[in-house]
Amino acid sequence: MILNDRKKEILRAVIEQYVKTAEPVGSKTVASVFGSAISSATIRNEMAELESLGLLEQPHTSAGRVPSALGYRVYVNELMSEHKLSNDDEIAISSALRSGAPGQGHLLDNAGDLVSRMTTYPAYAMSSMAGGISIARFDMIFVDSFTFIIVALLNNDSVKNKLVHLTLPTEPAFLTKLSSVFNASFTGLAEERITPALITASERAVGDTTGIVAVAAGFTIELLIEAKAGQSRVSGAVNLLSHPEYRDVEKARRLIKYLSDDNEIARLPSPDATGEIKITIGPENLADELRDSSVMAVRYDAGGDMQGLIGVVGPTRMDYSKVAARLSYIAQGLSWLLSASELQSISADKNSGIGDEDEIGKDD
């Protein structure tokens, strides 16, 4: 969408004023920002055009305007200024991250609490393998004609299994074929890539008309979601109640309940690369519970083959620039702390002789 400079400045002014006050913004308020540079009549006309473009909304006939989800998206992509943290903020974040015992579990708790405290929004923290969790190998083990076991080896070396009871008999040869298809088509995939089309194609490949493929695929998806959510923390969910958008207790309750479900947390929007913040606004989120909320998240390097993620969930009326700056600084601090911790561990191992291959089996 192409906007001239004046429309951009007016849109920016409306959004930043609405973020501060949570009250619809009128043309007189916008005019006070620009002084004599733009007339009130021009501002009214420009705001009406921004509304017609779907960037602003008018909640009531006589009220001012509020940003739409599309308006926030244009703001985040094109208009948002970079927020610079104060020295006090940087010192507070660094001090909070260094406090307490080191280690990933501690940092998940500490980082989530810190993010929530510094943004006043619910925060979530997760850790996972850098390449993501996937299945490395499948085995379908025949027990009897009506029973078999699915064994899945994950790429983090954990093993999961499921005992499946059938209503129709099967043969060992069918399970051997099923193992081959799953090892060829389902290994190395994230859960979102296990689609109905893949399941249907696999059913055709093994000649399954009884739903066995669907059961095995469902188990695979459950495993991946469970593994992805294996280390996650949510902090400050009750902070929602401090924002006017959630004065409706039932609305707040639904979102708090959503955030208390580990499986749902695992499905929250996730950035693709370390250091790059991902922002999803309102209806860009797939979950119905998040349609009136925004999610902002960033990854960090947790050392070795691990990655971490921290994020916030809050109203679309979010100070995106300030939250992004604080999330980025916290993520950088976590990366540094965990890298330093890993180096200290390696150094300690070397000093104690652990891992010194030349000494193994050496004669005295």
Side-chain angles (χ1 to χ4, degrees), residues 124 258 265-271 278 280 284-285 290 295 297 309:
Y124 63 102
Y258 176 86
I265 292 298
R267 294 189 178 100
L268 283 170
S270 178
K278 181 170 185 176
T280 52
E284 294 173 1
N285 294 293
L290 298 175
V295 181
L309 181 150

Side-chain angles (χ1 to χ4, degrees), residues 52-132:
S52 69
L53 292 171
L55 301 175
L56 297 179
E57 298 172 342
Q58 195 168 24
H60 307 289
T61 304
S62 59
R65 269 82 169 187
V66 301
S68 66
L70 180 58
Y72 284 120
R73 173 50 63 195
V74 172
Y75 175 78
V76 167
N77 288 355
E78 302 180 29
L79 308 178
M80 185 172 71
S81 301
E82 182 177 353
H83 178 83
K84 181 170 176 56
L85 293 183
S86 67
N87 288 336
D88 287 344
D89 278 347
E90 291 184 356
I91 291 170
I93 291 171
S94 299
S95 175
L97 288 176
R98 290 174 181 274
S99 66
Q104 181 64 258
H106 161 74
L107 285 175
L108 281 176
D109 287 329
N110 202 19
D113 291 342
L114 176 60
V115 170
S116 182
R117 188 167 66 250
M118 297 202 71
T119 63
T120 72
Y121 302 128
Y124 63 102
M126 301 171 61
S127 66
S128 63
M129 292 182 65

Side-chain angles (χ1 to χ4, degrees), residues 304-326:
D305 61 350
M306 298 294 292
Q307 280 188 348
L309 181 150
I310 52 174
V312 298
V313 179
T316 54
R317 185 191 58 84
M318 183 184 289
D319 192 335
Y320 294 97
S321 179
K322 182 184 290 187
V323 174
R326 290 177 174 178

Side-chain angles (χ1 to χ4, degrees), residues 2 20 23 28 64 95 111 131 164 189 225 240 246 249 255 336:
I2 299 175
K20 291 178 184 176
E23 296 290 340
K28 288 183 180 180
S95 175
V164 179
L189 299 184
I225 291 174
L240 286 173
Y246 300 101
V249 176
L255 185 52
W336 187 88

